Amino acid sequence: LSSGAAMSEFPAESLRKKLLSLTPTQQSIQTTSLWLIHYRAHAAAAVRVWLQDLQRCAPADRLKHLYLANDIVLQSRKSGPEYNQVVFIAAVCCCCC
C-alpha cells in the first residue's frame, strides 16, 4: 500500500538534480539508471525531463545522456518494457539536436 502511494508522483526535481550531477562514469550512470527504472511507471515523465536537460546541456555533455539511455534500455529489459520505446525515441532526438 505505501509503495503505491510513494510511486504515485514522479519526483521530477530529483531527476533534474541527478542529471546535473551525472558524470560519464559507470557508477554514476548505473546509479541513475537504477533510480529511473524504479520509477518505470513514470517513464514518459522521466524522459521529458531527460530531454529538457539534454536540450540545455552543452554538446560535449550529451554523451553521458546517451550512456544513461543505453543503460536504462539494457537494464529495464529485465523488469519491463516501459522505457524501451520512449528512450529509443529520445536517443534519436539526442542525435538530431
Side-chain angles (χ1 to χ4, degrees), residues 12-93:
E13 192 56 38
S14 293
L15 177 55
R16 285 184 189 93
K17 290 177 184 177
K18 288 181 180 299
L19 291 172
L20 279 174
S21 64
L22 186 68
T23 62
T25 63
Q26 183 176 2
Q27 181 179 0
S28 179
I29 297 297
Q30 287 179 341
T31 300
T32 306
S33 174
L34 289 173
W35 185 86
L36 282 162
I37 291 168
H38 174 75
Y39 287 100
R40 67 183 170 270
H42 303 284
V47 171
R48 276 193 301 274
V49 173
W50 180 83
L51 278 171
Q52 289 169 353
D53 188 67
L54 173 68
Q55 292 169 343
R56 292 181 194 144
C57 74
D61 291 332
R62 291 185 182 153
L63 187 58
K64 66 183 180 182
H65 286 76
L66 287 176
Y67 288 156
L68 179 60
N70 180 61
D71 198 66
I72 290 169
V73 169
L74 291 175
Q75 297 303 322
S76 67
R77 290 182 310 170
K78 302 170 190 170
S79 58
E82 292 85 1
Y83 276 105
N84 292 346
Q85 185 176 10
V86 289
V87 170
F88 175 76
I89 292 167
V92 170
C93 291

